[in-house]
Amino acid sequence: MTVPTTFNELTNLVGDEFRKMPREAIAAIISLSAAIEVFIFVVRLNGGGRDPVVLGLGLILMIGALAVSYLTSMRLIDAPKSLRGFGAYLGTTALTALPATAGFALILAGRYFDNGYFTFAGIMLLLASLAITPLLYPWPLLQAVSPRFIGPREAFRRSAGMRGALLLTAIIFGVIARTDFRPDSTELTLMSVGAITVSLVVNVLSTLFAISVSVAAFKRMN
């Protein structure tokens, strides 16, 4: 029988992992987050990012951020690092984000084609992903260290006993992590610099928190 993990217990476990975060990992996360913030501001300053070069640079920054998360997580769980493991981590992370991405795409399609069915389906898919995704936080780590394929059903099953705690944790911190503090203005003013700084701090803390939650849940499953 699975022993339930309460919200307080999970919070303590996450706090332990947060305090164990290597200094070089924190420095790398801060550097990458700063590069991403500057990149987003420059893209907005120039009126969008449809240019293939800009999109390619954005993709490189995203993969770089995931690479730092992977390397940090492997260190915290004391597991060997490999290109295969990173590929599995990268692919599983993309699959985890797929329902939410599809939901947003359907909502945009509904607005573009003025189709209420698309919009409704997108909202339902988005709500379902918000409920399910937090329960799959450890899935990329489980797949990265496993020589066999671990499906979302198995990852969900192994989260038994901590699903309520994971969901509540995601709701509390997810609102802050998804808040956009970036300035709407395309002018570099003192106010915009302050807003970018706040966004940077939130981005760094949310990244460290996401790693800590994944590692804590992974260790609880194993």
Side-chain angles (χ1 to χ4, degrees):
M1 181 178 179
T2 303
V3 179
T5 301
T6 65
F7 174 71
N8 287 338
E9 289 173 338
L10 181 62
T11 301
N12 290 332
L13 292 172
V14 171
D16 290 340
E17 300 303 331
F18 198 95
R19 286 186 288 272
K20 294 177 186 175
M21 205 67 63
R23 291 182 179 179
E24 57 269 28
I26 296 176
I29 290 170
I30 292 174
S31 300
L32 266 171
S33 297
I36 291 171
E37 291 298 327
V38 171
F39 172 77
I40 292 173
F41 181 79
V42 171
V43 168
R44 287 185 173 183
L45 192 66
N46 290 278
R50 298 180 180 179
D51 187 277
V53 176
V54 174
L55 293 174
L57 182 56
L59 182 61
I60 290 173
L61 288 173
M62 185 182 300
I63 293 175
L66 288 172
V68 172
S69 295
Y70 166 75
L71 293 172
T72 304
S73 300
M74 291 298 103
R75 180 166 175 176
L76 289 173
I77 65 176
D78 195 25
K81 310 170 189 67
S82 67
L83 285 176
R84 186 212 65 81
F86 177 57
Y89 181 87
L90 199 63
T92 311
T93 300
L95 288 175
T96 303
L98 188 59
T101 304
F104 280 119
L106 282 172
I107 292 174
L108 290 174
R111 290 181 178 179
Y112 183 80
F113 293 107
D114 194 20
N115 189 314
Y117 292 106
F118 281 175
T119 302
F120 178 77
I123 292 173
M124 291 298 100
L125 186 57
L126 189 59
L127 290 175
S129 70
L130 291 176
I132 295 174
T133 301
L135 309 181
L136 299 177
Y137 272 153
W139 186 25
L141 288 183
L142 290 170
Q143 188 61 71
V145 300
S146 175
R148 64 179 181 85
F149 175 72
I150 295 178
R153 182 177 180 179
E154 181 179 347
F156 179 80
R157 178 179 57 79
R158 291 174 69 170
S159 69
M162 68 174 75
R163 291 170 188 161
L166 279 173
L167 188 56
L168 183 57
T169 303
I171 290 173
I172 292 175
F173 292 96
V175 173
I176 299 175
R178 286 173 174 78
T179 301
D180 189 1
F181 294 95
R182 300 182 185 96
D184 293 328
S185 173
T186 56
E187 296 180 2
L188 188 61
T189 63
L190 186 61
M191 184 176 293
S192 67
V193 171
I196 291 171
T197 303
V198 173
S199 181
L200 171 62
V201 172
V202 171
N203 190 21
V204 169
L205 290 177
S206 62
T207 301
L208 293 172
F209 170 76
I211 294 172
S212 300
V213 172
S214 298
V215 170
F218 173 86
K219 290 182 176 179
R220 195 68 171 177
M221 290 180 178
N222 291 274

XYZ file of all heavy atoms in Angstrom, residues 113-175:
489
model
N -10.575 31.129 -36.904
C -11.634 30.636 -37.788
C -13.035 30.964 -37.262
O -14.030 30.559 -37.871
C -11.510 29.115 -37.963
C -10.279 28.687 -38.697
C -9.234 28.078 -38.010
C -10.155 28.897 -40.058
C -8.082 27.670 -38.681
C -9.013 28.493 -40.743
C -7.969 27.882 -40.047
N -13.079 31.670 -36.105
C -14.352 32.008 -35.468
C -15.198 30.743 -35.262
O -16.387 30.690 -35.596
C -15.113 33.033 -36.328
C -16.266 33.667 -35.554
O -16.247 33.618 -34.308
O -17.198 34.177 -36.198
N -14.533 29.723 -34.689
C -15.169 28.422 -34.475
C -15.225 28.134 -32.977
O -14.193 27.913 -32.343
C -14.391 27.334 -35.214
C -15.127 26.005 -35.219
O -15.638 25.550 -34.200
N -15.171 25.366 -36.386
N -16.428 28.138 -32.427
C -16.599 27.913 -30.997
C -16.211 26.518 -30.557
O -15.786 26.312 -29.414
N -16.337 25.528 -31.457
C -15.987 24.153 -31.101
C -14.484 24.027 -30.842
O -14.062 23.334 -29.911
C -16.420 23.193 -32.218
C -17.912 23.070 -32.372
C -18.568 23.666 -33.449
C -18.669 22.377 -31.433
C -19.949 23.569 -33.592
C -20.049 22.269 -31.572
C -20.676 22.865 -32.645
O -22.038 22.763 -32.765
N -13.695 24.671 -31.694
C -12.243 24.664 -31.495
C -11.880 25.303 -30.157
O -11.055 24.782 -29.401
C -11.542 25.415 -32.627
C -11.393 24.626 -33.896
C -10.877 25.214 -35.044
C -11.757 23.295 -33.954
C -10.732 24.490 -36.219
C -11.622 22.564 -35.122
C -11.111 23.162 -36.250
N -12.505 26.442 -29.887
C -12.219 27.156 -28.642
C -12.599 26.321 -27.427
O -11.824 26.215 -26.461
C -12.980 28.495 -28.605
O -12.619 29.284 -29.741
C -12.650 29.264 -27.336
N -13.775 25.719 -27.470
C -14.235 24.883 -26.350
C -13.311 23.692 -26.140
O -12.920 23.380 -25.003
C -15.664 24.398 -26.613
C -16.198 23.496 -25.528
C -16.632 24.026 -24.322
C -16.258 22.119 -25.717
C -17.118 23.192 -23.314
C -16.738 21.280 -24.723
C -17.169 21.823 -23.519
N -12.936 23.020 -27.238
C -12.038 21.866 -27.143
C -10.682 22.284 -26.582
O -10.075 21.575 -25.771
C -11.870 21.215 -28.515
N -10.206 23.457 -27.006
C -8.925 23.949 -26.505
C -8.961 24.238 -25.026
O -8.021 23.904 -24.293
N -10.047 24.857 -24.562
C -10.178 25.163 -23.131
C -10.239 23.879 -22.310
O -9.598 23.766 -21.259
C -11.434 26.028 -22.884
C -11.240 27.418 -23.503
C -11.719 26.146 -21.382
C -12.487 28.287 -23.458
N -11.017 22.890 -22.786
C -11.113 21.619 -22.074
C -9.764 20.895 -22.014
O -9.376 20.343 -20.974
C -12.138 20.697 -22.761
C -13.588 21.164 -22.648
S -14.177 21.239 -20.928
C -14.039 22.998 -20.582
N -9.044 20.918 -23.133
C -7.729 20.277 -23.180
C -6.747 20.997 -22.262
O -5.930 20.367 -21.575
C -7.207 20.255 -24.613
C -5.900 19.484 -24.871
C -6.032 18.041 -24.421
C -5.528 19.547 -26.347
N -6.838 22.319 -22.233
C -5.954 23.117 -21.378
C -6.228 22.843 -19.905
O -5.300 22.668 -19.105
C -6.140 24.600 -21.686
C -5.142 25.565 -21.039
C -3.723 25.230 -21.466
C -5.482 26.998 -21.407
N -7.497 22.767 -19.534
C -7.863 22.471 -18.145
C -7.406 21.070 -17.745
O -6.914 20.847 -16.626
C -9.374 22.608 -17.957
C -9.939 24.030 -18.034
C -11.456 24.004 -17.965
C -9.364 24.887 -16.916
N -7.578 20.110 -18.669
C -7.140 18.739 -18.385
C -5.632 18.675 -18.199
O -5.124 17.987 -17.311
C -7.574 17.813 -19.517
N -4.892 19.431 -19.027
C -3.426 19.420 -18.921
C -2.962 20.056 -17.618
O -1.975 19.624 -17.019
C -2.802 20.156 -20.112
O -3.042 21.546 -20.034
N -3.681 21.088 -17.148
C -3.324 21.732 -15.890
C -3.504 20.775 -14.712
O -2.801 20.874 -13.701
C -4.186 22.984 -15.672
C -3.911 24.156 -16.622
C -4.894 25.284 -16.376
C -2.477 24.662 -16.452
N -4.441 19.837 -14.837
C -4.679 18.868 -13.767
C -3.724 17.676 -13.838
O -3.336 17.116 -12.818
C -6.127 18.376 -13.830
N -3.323 17.305 -15.063
C -2.519 16.094 -15.248
C -1.020 16.377 -15.235
O -0.237 15.622 -14.643
C -2.908 15.395 -16.571
C -4.359 14.907 -16.494
C -1.970 14.234 -16.874
C -4.881 14.332 -17.795
N -0.594 17.481 -15.867
C 0.829 17.779 -16.015
C 1.603 17.770 -14.695
O 2.700 17.215 -14.629
C 1.035 19.115 -16.748
O 0.415 19.037 -18.036
C 2.511 19.410 -16.918
N 1.089 18.387 -13.611
C 1.838 18.356 -12.342
C 2.119 16.953 -11.831
O 3.116 16.718 -11.141
C 0.922 19.118 -11.371
C 0.103 19.998 -12.237
C -0.114 19.225 -13.492
N 1.250 16.006 -12.179
C 1.432 14.628 -11.729
C 2.526 13.923 -12.524
O 2.960 12.840 -12.149
C 0.114 13.858 -11.852
C -1.110 14.532 -11.208
C -2.335 13.664 -11.382
C -0.864 14.801 -9.731
N 2.965 14.549 -13.617
C 4.003 13.956 -14.461
C 5.341 14.685 -14.321
O 6.235 14.493 -15.137
C 3.550 13.980 -15.932
C 2.275 13.195 -16.264
C 1.918 13.372 -17.735
C 2.437 11.721 -15.936
N 5.478 15.531 -13.296
C 6.734 16.251 -13.084
C 7.960 15.331 -13.115
O 8.967 15.659 -13.745
C 6.695 16.983 -11.742
C 6.113 18.376 -11.797
C 5.511 18.948 -10.686
C 6.183 19.144 -12.956
C 4.970 20.238 -10.723
C 5.645 20.423 -13.010
C 5.040 20.962 -11.884
O 4.523 22.225 -11.929
N 7.914 14.184 -12.437
C 9.118 13.321 -12.401
C 9.304 12.483 -13.660
O 10.328 11.800 -13.774
C 8.865 12.405 -11.191
C 7.656 12.952 -10.505
C 6.871 13.673 -11.541
N 8.333 12.502 -14.585
C 8.404 11.620 -15.754
C 9.686 11.786 -16.565
O 10.337 10.794 -16.915
C 7.167 11.851 -16.634
C 7.043 10.904 -17.794
C 7.567 9.647 -17.890
C 6.343 11.137 -19.021
N 7.242 9.080 -19.092
C 6.491 9.970 -19.810
C 5.606 12.210 -19.509
C 5.917 9.865 -21.079
C 5.037 12.097 -20.773
C 5.195 10.934 -21.538
N 10.134 13.018 -16.893
C 11.391 13.151 -17.646
C 12.588 12.525 -16.934
O 13.457 11.928 -17.581
C 11.556 14.670 -17.782
C 10.178 15.201 -17.737
C 9.464 14.333 -16.739
N 12.636 12.644 -15.602
C 13.748 12.036 -14.856
C 13.642 10.512 -14.857
O 14.648 9.814 -15.001
C 13.767 12.548 -13.413
C 14.201 13.999 -13.208
C 14.237 14.332 -11.727
C 15.558 14.244 -13.828
N 12.426 10.011 -14.685
C 12.227 8.557 -14.714
C 12.688 7.978 -16.047
O 13.337 6.931 -16.101
C 10.743 8.232 -14.494
C 10.173 8.479 -13.095
C 8.656 8.333 -13.113
C 10.782 7.514 -12.079
N 12.364 8.690 -17.145
C 12.744 8.211 -18.471
C 14.233 8.371 -18.721
O 14.867 7.528 -19.365
C 11.956 8.960 -19.545
C 12.125 8.412 -20.946
C 11.660 6.972 -21.056
O 10.474 6.694 -21.000
N 12.596 6.041 -21.174
N 14.815 9.451 -18.194
C 16.240 9.725 -18.433
C 17.143 8.661 -17.815
O 18.221 8.377 -18.353
C 16.604 11.100 -17.874
N 16.735 8.069 -16.703
C 17.585 7.077 -16.026
C 17.173 5.650 -16.339
O 17.816 4.693 -15.873
C 17.559 7.288 -14.494
C 18.058 8.674 -14.131
C 16.163 7.058 -13.918
N 16.113 5.480 -17.127
C 15.619 4.130 -17.418
C 16.070 3.675 -18.811
O 15.984 4.438 -19.776
C 14.094 4.098 -17.343
O 13.595 2.831 -17.735
N 16.527 2.425 -18.940
C 16.924 1.912 -20.252
C 15.728 1.522 -21.125
O 15.873 1.270 -22.312
C 17.760 0.671 -19.907
C 17.213 0.220 -18.585
C 16.807 1.465 -17.858
N 14.546 1.483 -20.542
C 13.335 1.132 -21.291
C 12.386 2.321 -21.325
O 12.544 3.282 -20.574
C 12.628 -0.066 -20.643
C 12.121 0.210 -19.239
C 11.412 -0.991 -18.640
N 10.914 -0.706 -17.302
C 9.751 -0.122 -17.032
N 8.951 0.250 -18.036
N 9.364 0.113 -15.795
N 11.388 2.222 -22.199
C 10.419 3.310 -22.313
C 9.448 3.273 -21.143
O 8.905 2.224 -20.794
C 9.645 3.212 -23.627
C 8.542 4.227 -23.754
C 8.844 5.572 -23.959
C 7.214 3.845 -23.647
C 7.831 6.518 -24.073
C 6.199 4.782 -23.762
C 6.514 6.121 -23.976
N 9.248 4.429 -20.530
C 8.261 4.583 -19.467
C 7.161 5.495 -19.987
O 7.408 6.666 -20.277
C 8.886 5.176 -18.189
C 9.914 4.198 -17.622
C 7.819 5.484 -17.149
C 10.620 4.701 -16.382
N 5.978 4.963 -20.114
C 4.878 5.746 -20.656
C 4.258 6.656 -19.612
O 4.508 6.518 -18.409
N 3.439 7.607 -20.055
C 2.787 8.520 -19.101
C 1.874 7.794 -18.120
O 1.720 8.227 -16.984
C 1.991 9.466 -20.013
C 1.852 8.745 -21.309
C 3.071 7.905 -21.445
N 1.290 6.665 -18.566
C 0.410 5.905 -17.667
C 1.201 5.349 -16.491
O 0.743 5.400 -15.341
C -0.267 4.768 -18.445
C -1.244 3.962 -17.607
C -1.930 2.913 -18.453
N -2.869 2.123 -17.676
C -3.616 1.143 -18.164
N -3.543 0.856 -19.467
N -4.442 0.468 -17.393
N 2.393 4.806 -16.762
C 3.219 4.269 -15.686
C 3.720 5.378 -14.772
O 3.739 5.231 -13.544
C 4.413 3.501 -16.254
C 5.312 2.896 -15.172
C 6.474 2.107 -15.726
O 6.461 1.813 -16.945
O 7.400 1.796 -14.946
N 4.116 6.513 -15.362
C 4.577 7.648 -14.550
C 3.449 8.148 -13.659
O 3.668 8.469 -12.485
C 5.071 8.768 -15.457
N 2.245 8.183 -14.214
C 1.083 8.612 -13.427
C 0.819 7.621 -12.291
O 0.536 8.017 -11.151
C -0.132 8.722 -14.335
C -1.397 9.122 -13.630
C -1.636 10.445 -13.310
C -2.345 8.169 -13.280
C -2.806 10.821 -12.663
C -3.513 8.531 -12.621
C -3.744 9.853 -12.321
N 0.925 6.330 -12.591
C 0.678 5.310 -11.565
C 1.691 5.411 -10.435
O 1.350 5.272 -9.262
C 0.750 3.916 -12.206
C 0.556 2.765 -11.222
C 0.616 1.423 -11.936
N 1.866 1.256 -12.664
C 3.011 0.904 -12.080
N 3.063 0.695 -10.764
N 4.102 0.747 -12.802
N 2.937 5.708 -10.783
C 3.985 5.782 -9.768
C 3.910 7.051 -8.927
O 4.602 7.187 -7.917
C 5.358 5.676 -10.447
C 5.599 4.277 -11.022
C 6.874 4.185 -11.829
N 8.077 4.296 -11.006
C 9.309 4.057 -11.451
N 9.484 3.665 -12.714
N 10.344 4.184 -10.667
N 3.061 7.995 -9.339
C 2.863 9.202 -8.540
C 1.791 9.020 -7.472
O 1.445 9.969 -6.767
C 2.486 10.385 -9.440
O 1.193 10.209 -9.994
N 1.273 7.792 -7.347
C 0.244 7.509 -6.342
C 0.756 7.856 -4.948
O 1.889 7.579 -4.592
C -0.140 6.026 -6.405
N -0.103 8.475 -4.176
C 0.257 8.850 -2.812
C 0.714 10.285 -2.695
O 0.723 10.847 -1.595
N 1.099 10.895 -3.824
C 1.561 12.293 -3.763
C 0.844 13.174 -4.787
O 1.226 14.328 -4.985
C 3.073 12.362 -3.996
C 3.522 11.999 -5.387
S 5.297 12.256 -5.635
C 5.929 10.846 -4.741
N -0.192 12.640 -5.414
C -0.861 13.402 -6.476
C -1.498 14.678 -5.940
O -1.374 15.746 -6.546
C -1.916 12.524 -7.143
C -1.305 11.388 -7.965
C -2.350 10.402 -8.405
N -1.727 9.230 -9.030
C -2.340 8.072 -9.189
N -3.603 7.927 -8.798
N -1.711 7.058 -9.756
N -2.179 14.575 -4.818
C -2.804 15.756 -4.238
C -1.778 16.813 -3.864
O -1.968 18.005 -4.123
N -0.676 16.383 -3.267
C 0.381 17.312 -2.862
C 1.036 17.957 -4.074
O 1.310 19.163 -4.091
C 1.425 16.579 -2.024
N 1.275 17.162 -5.139
C 1.870 17.704 -6.361
C 0.954 18.724 -7.021
O 1.406 19.784 -7.469
C 2.177 16.573 -7.344
C 3.463 15.775 -7.135
C 3.508 14.584 -8.087
C 4.685 16.657 -7.348
N -0.329 18.408 -7.062
C -1.281 19.297 -7.716
C -1.406 20.612 -6.951
O -1.401 21.694 -7.553
C -2.642 18.608 -7.813
C -3.719 19.325 -8.631
C -3.228 19.584 -10.045
C -5.000 18.512 -8.650
N -1.500 20.539 -5.630
C -1.619 21.752 -4.818
C -0.360 22.605 -4.928
O -0.428 23.839 -5.044
C -1.871 21.374 -3.355
C -2.085 22.538 -2.376
C -3.259 23.404 -2.830
C -2.330 22.002 -0.966
N 0.809 21.957 -4.920
C 2.069 22.679 -5.065
C 2.124 23.397 -6.408
O 2.541 24.559 -6.496
C 3.259 21.706 -4.955
O 3.193 21.030 -3.705
C 4.580 22.448 -5.034
N 1.699 22.708 -7.467
C 1.727 23.295 -8.811
C 0.782 24.488 -8.915
O 1.101 25.486 -9.555
C 1.367 22.241 -9.845
N -0.380 24.397 -8.286
C -1.353 25.489 -8.354
C -0.806 26.737 -7.665
O -0.881 27.850 -8.195
C -2.681 25.058 -7.691
C -3.373 24.002 -8.549
C -3.598 26.273 -7.501
C -4.600 23.404 -7.907
N -0.209 26.549 -6.476
C 0.278 27.689 -5.691
C 1.423 28.411 -6.389
O 1.430 29.634 -6.534
C 0.710 27.228 -4.286
C -0.516 26.773 -3.487
C 1.444 28.351 -3.543
C -0.185 26.183 -2.136
N 2.399 27.636 -6.847
C 3.583 28.244 -7.438
C 3.450 28.485 -8.944
O 4.169 29.307 -9.499
C 4.811 27.380 -7.160
C 5.203 27.357 -5.705
C 4.779 26.327 -4.884
C 5.976 28.356 -5.159
C 5.130 26.294 -3.538
C 6.332 28.340 -3.820
C 5.902 27.308 -3.004
N 2.539 27.758 -9.584
C 2.382 27.913 -11.024
C 1.839 29.278 -11.413
O 2.205 29.821 -12.457
N 0.958 29.832 -10.595
C 0.394 31.153 -10.881
C 1.505 32.197 -10.923
O 1.563 33.050 -11.816
C -0.654 31.532 -9.817
C -1.115 32.977 -10.023
C -1.835 30.585 -9.877
